[in-house]
Amino acid sequence: MKILSIIFLTIFMGNGCNSAKAQDMETTVIEYTANTRGFYQKITVKNQMLTVSKDRDGNDKPIPKKVSDADWKELVGCFKTVELDNLSKLKAITEKRFHDGAAIAKLKITLKEKAYETTSFDHGFPPKEIKKFVNMITSLAKK
């Protein structure tokens, strides 16, 4: 009986953590920016809504679009793998941005009024720890 209770509690607590992470995702603001002298793109994801801005001055009025339930579920799954406290410590895998070979990109995640931000990396070549998450965000912006 004790073993059954322990198994039940383990499953219950594990599911509680997953739903808490999904709940956190609903209040999280994700901002991905990529820019060079002639290119600017800011992708913002918040509560299953996505906006894409191509004007660095903010003069354009991006139209929010709803992220499909399937894509949102996949994005939440990718978000669960991101270690927020380590974002600022991630190393870029390439250095093309140093000689105009790639746009300069950054990822910023604001969760519960605390911001977590990466150092700059090459657009299209994110650090391996966040590659799947960043690629998911950029692919949503193309849809």
Side-chain angles (χ1 to χ4, degrees):
M1 186 67 177
K2 287 182 184 181
I3 294 173
L4 185 61
S5 298
I6 290 172
I7 292 172
F8 177 74
L9 278 174
T10 304
I11 292 170
F12 179 73
M13 294 301 282
N15 288 340
C17 292
N18 287 340
S19 64
K21 192 74 163 183
Q23 180 67 25
D24 286 347
M25 186 66 176
E26 291 176 5
T27 60
T28 300
V29 178
I30 301 163
E31 295 174 308
Y32 175 82
T33 56
N35 68 79
T36 62
R37 283 182 281 170
F39 170 77
Y40 180 81
Q41 181 182 46
K42 180 178 182 180
I43 304 167
T44 305
V45 181
K46 182 179 180 183
N47 197 19
Q48 209 166 346
M49 297 299 286
L50 178 127
T51 58
V52 179
S53 176
K54 296 193 183 249
D55 182 6
R56 71 182 78 235
D57 297 325
N59 294 329
D60 65 343
K61 301 291 181 207
I63 299 169
K65 64 180 183 179
K66 187 174 184 337
V67 177
S68 72
D69 291 338
D71 287 339
W72 183 252
K73 186 176 180 179
E74 187 176 345
L75 187 66
V76 169
C78 292
F79 179 70
K80 290 177 185 178
T81 66
V82 175
E83 295 180 22
L84 296 176
D85 291 327
N86 292 333
L87 275 184
S88 63
K89 300 172 190 166
L90 298 179
K91 302 289 183 207
I93 57 173
T94 58
E95 296 180 346
K96 295 178 179 184
R97 66 195 177 285
F98 293 152
H99 57 82
D100 290 337
I104 300 167
K106 282 191 172 189
L107 176 68
K108 180 179 177 183
I109 299 173
T110 307
L111 174 66
K112 295 181 182 175
E113 314 233 349
K114 184 172 181 185
Y116 304 90
E117 191 169 358
T118 64
T119 57
S120 62
F121 57 89
D122 293 346
H123 176 59
F125 302 93
K128 65 181 178 193
E129 297 87 351
I130 58 171
K131 183 175 184 170
K132 187 174 179 183
F133 185 61
V134 169
N135 289 344
M136 180 71 188
I137 293 168
T138 56
S139 70
L140 289 174
K142 293 177 184 175
K143 289 185 177 183

